[in-house]
Amino acid sequence: MSASGTAAAGTVEHMLRQVTPGRFDAYEALLQALADPGTGQVWMLLWHGQAGSPDAQYGNMEVDGFSYAPCVTSAQELSASGWSRAYEVVGGVDAARTLYPDHYGLWLNPHAPGGGVGVPWLDLRRIAGGLDRQPAGPLRLSDPAIEIPQFYALLAQNAHRTTAIRSLRRAWVQPTLGAPYLAIGLDVYDTSPVSVDAVRAMMQQSVVAVPDGLPVSTVAMSDEHDPVAMWLRANARPFYDRESHAAPAAPSPAAGYGYPPPHGTY
């Protein structure tokens, strides 16, 4: 292995050793190492085929009902694992982009004492799309308790004038790391550039009624991989609905939505 390869593996393995139950800061540092093109290499274990061949297939393991592809973090760990089949060295971002759309996570060093560390597919999605662009999970989601009727009224009024909007939902999101925020779920009729611009303008016109210091974010209801959108579809009725004007319902709070239980992961 080259010196740069050794350094890359060493960074991931150093971060991996820091991860213990409840240490979400250490786990986030591990995700950052995996997402870094300079440090994020992993050795994917191939159940079928050879690296680069059309029939190459990653291994599969199931933990608590969730699927993961096993990998190791260095050539030394590959040797220690006793794996005798083929393997493929890939960047963490590339592995994440391959696995998360099929709801597969990544399991690091399953042969290690304690069983290694599992990265759920939702965190692979964060690695693939940018860790700073999506909140750190597991997320706690609930119906917003904060009273801001002026904002909701203005938002609904502007949505009614924005023909691209079908409905709006809302949730209070508490990330594992970082400040909580109000999420607005946007259900749109189409995603053409004209519609996207109209929806963006609608939000810009509406956030003037948001109290100072209250973070507000938006999420596309059509995103089948976003945990906030998943929760909104399952738990929140629209507070604005162009077609039926449905009354809002109060969903019950949910902890860790979209993530597996912490046992065996981080």
Side-chain angles (χ1 to χ4, degrees):
M1 180 188 295
S2 67
S4 60
T6 302
T11 302
V12 173
E13 289 180 351
H14 173 73
M15 298 304 178
L16 185 60
R17 287 192 292 269
Q18 311 308 309
V19 177
T20 56
R23 282 289 309 278
F24 290 105
D25 57 334
Y27 176 75
E28 195 71 10
L30 171 63
L31 298 186
Q32 291 169 358
L34 288 169
D36 187 333
T39 63
Q41 283 185 329
V42 290
W43 280 245
M44 300 299 302
L45 308 182
L46 297 179
W47 188 251
H48 294 294
Q50 299 294 318
S53 65
D55 63 340
Q57 180 181 336
Y58 291 155
N60 174 37
M61 56 186 292
E62 188 171 298
V63 179
D64 293 326
F66 292 84
S67 295
Y68 297 85
C71 72
V72 296
T73 53
S74 66
Q76 290 79 9
E77 291 294 341
L78 180 67
S79 176
S81 74
W83 185 256
S84 59
R85 302 192 185 197
Y87 62 90
E88 181 177 38
V89 182
V90 300
V93 173
D94 291 334
R97 288 172 177 166
T98 298
L99 293 170
Y100 93 80
D102 294 325
H103 291 192
Y104 269 77
L106 186 67
W107 202 281
L108 308 174
N109 294 346
H111 65 283
V117 172
V119 180
W121 70 267
L122 282 165
D123 284 331
L124 294 187
R125 177 179 181 268
R126 292 182 62 222
I127 289 174
L131 290 170
D132 58 341
R133 298 177 60 187
Q134 297 162 28
L139 307 176
R140 292 187 60 86
L141 297 109
S142 62
D143 189 51
I146 186 170
E147 297 292 337
I148 45 174
Q150 296 87 351
F151 169 62
Y152 294 135
L154 181 59
L155 183 56
Q157 180 181 9
N158 289 334
H160 192 68
R161 296 171 178 169
T162 307
T163 56
I165 291 290
R166 177 187 286 112
S167 65
L168 301 172
R169 290 172 169 83
R170 58 195 170 198
W172 186 249
V173 183
Q174 295 177 277
T176 296
L177 298 174
Y181 64 92
L182 176 67
I184 302 297
L186 304 173
D187 185 13
V188 299
Y189 288 105
D190 69 86
T191 56
S192 66
V194 172
S195 294
V196 170
D197 288 343
V199 172
R200 183 180 295 113
M202 177 201 74
M203 290 302 303
Q204 290 173 344
Q205 294 163 6
S206 303
V207 294
V208 296
V210 175
D212 290 342
L214 175 63
V216 177
S217 183
T218 59
V219 60
M221 294 299 299
S222 59
D223 190 339
E224 62 181 1
H225 298 299
D226 190 286
V228 178
M230 290 163 56
W231 186 90
L232 287 168
R233 287 194 297 268
N235 295 277
R237 293 180 63 188
F239 67 91
Y240 170 78
D241 190 324
R242 183 179 302 276
E243 298 174 0
S244 66
H245 299 286
S252 58
Y257 194 82
Y259 279 79
H263 170 70
T265 52
Y266 58 88

